[in-house]
Amino acid sequence: MKPGRTIAKATFFDRISERAHVSEDSLKQCIVEIRQALGDTERTLIETVPRKGYRLNATPIEDSKPGRWTIASATSILLVACVLAYLFVIFSERTRQVVAVLPFQDISQAEHHGLLGEPVSDGILAYLARYPELTVIARGSSFRFREPDRDMREIGALLDADYLVEGSLQFDGDRVTVISSLVDVEAKAQVWSDRIEMDLGDLFVAIAEIGRRIAYQVEGALPDVQVANAELCHADALLLSLKARNMALGGLS
């Protein structure tokens, strides 16, 4: 890093594999630690250039004693060491597992078909997204894959996901049966599957439980998260709200 030259953040991230899921927070933390080590409390030695990157403002210091490092050279070495350590962590392990929830297949009879598929998938996705330990692919990307015969590895590669959540549901007008599975994309193997049958009024509670079990399979014991609307619902009210939702979505399509 040469004094006076602005280094764009993209320059750092260009050295990172495209498959690495990491925010800018780690890079910012590196800069913070360097500033602390140098006592750069005013952030003048390593300057943040808004919307661009960072600039080293140190100038070489003439010194008659050979072997003594200047501030500029010491800063450069520290910065390089920090970036190398940052890249090593990224390449050696992913900081968070990436999960994509696919739309569940609705195998209900015609009169009930299409009512619960997306609400169940949406609910599981929203629950998993509450865990900061997980990175959850947005529904706009994962819900594109609706075909019943789906190549899990291909979808995982397209979404850059470690795990895929898929499943099916059946609604008979009173009770709902949800079968959910967790697929390890790299291993191309189903690592977990479960079946839950419940009354329609218990649907939100069941969705939260499915999400909790998936999170446990992906990351082990995670603290329970607070879930809105996880209380018991009156079946008739829930059914009306789901029908209204589907009618509204149909009108927008």
Side-chain angles (χ1 to χ4, degrees):
M1 188 173 186
K2 296 181 179 180
R5 178 186 174 191
T6 299
I7 304 297
K9 293 178 182 179
T11 301
F12 295 104
F13 289 104
D14 282 345
R15 305 298 192 273
I16 301 171
S17 167
E18 293 181 356
R19 287 186 57 82
H21 293 266
V22 62
S23 68
E24 294 184 4
D25 292 342
S26 297
L27 178 58
K28 291 178 181 178
Q29 184 60 34
C30 282
I31 299 298
V32 168
E33 292 175 1
I34 291 173
R35 285 171 173 156
Q36 290 175 345
L38 296 174
D40 185 22
T41 57
E42 301 297 324
R43 299 195 293 182
T44 55
L45 185 59
I46 301 177
E47 177 187 0
T48 299
V49 182
R51 294 184 297 277
K52 291 184 178 180
Y54 300 97
R55 179 187 298 131
L56 175 63
N57 289 321
T59 56
I61 300 174
E62 295 292 337
D63 199 320
S64 58
K65 296 182 179 180
R68 179 174 295 182
W69 289 355
T70 65
I71 292 178
S73 61
T75 303
S76 298
I77 291 172
L78 281 171
L79 184 57
V80 170
C82 184
V83 172
L84 289 176
Y86 171 64
L87 294 177
F88 175 78
V89 170
I90 291 174
F91 281 119
S92 62
E93 62 176 356
R94 300 277 287 275
T95 56
R96 293 189 293 182
Q97 298 293 337
V98 181
V99 182
V101 180
L102 304 181
F104 277 40
Q105 300 298 311
D106 190 342
I107 57 175
S108 306
Q109 295 297 320
E111 58 182 315
H112 304 301
H113 182 80
L115 188 62
L116 297 178
E118 286 206 4
V120 168
S121 304
D122 271 333
I124 295 173
L125 187 153
Y127 187 91
L128 292 174
R130 294 172 180 266
Y131 284 104
E133 296 88 351
L134 303 177
T135 296
V136 181
I137 301 295
R139 74 186 303 277
S141 297
S142 61
F143 279 27
R144 293 179 294 142
F145 303 97
R146 300 177 180 276
E147 299 79 10
D149 297 323
R150 302 172 290 197
D151 186 323
M152 295 294 106
R153 192 159 191 170
E154 180 181 352
I155 293 174
L158 290 172
L159 294 175
D160 202 10
D162 298 303
Y163 292 92
L164 299 177
V165 178
E166 63 166 347
S168 63
L169 64 92
Q170 187 170 19
F171 176 48
D172 64 7
D174 295 312
R175 295 184 65 77
V176 185
T177 300
V178 178
I179 299 175
S180 48
S181 301
L182 182 66
V183 177
D184 184 323
V185 174
E186 185 64 28
K188 201 177 180 180
Q190 180 177 295
V191 295
W192 171 86
S193 182
D194 203 358
R195 180 181 186 275
I196 295 181
E197 185 177 348
M198 81 294 297
D199 291 331
L200 179 62
D202 298 332
L203 181 61
F204 288 133
V205 175
I207 287 173
E209 178 60 18
I210 292 170
R212 187 190 67 79
R213 295 180 188 181
I214 292 170
Y216 182 87
Q217 293 296 322
V218 173
E219 278 289 346
L222 294 176
D224 288 336
V225 297
Q226 296 297 318
V227 182
N229 298 326
E231 67 277 1
L232 296 178
C233 300
H234 192 279
D236 290 339
L238 178 57
L239 194 57
L240 285 174
S241 69
L242 290 172
K243 288 180 178 178
R245 174 185 182 278
N246 285 355
M247 289 176 63
L249 292 175
L252 294 173
S253 61

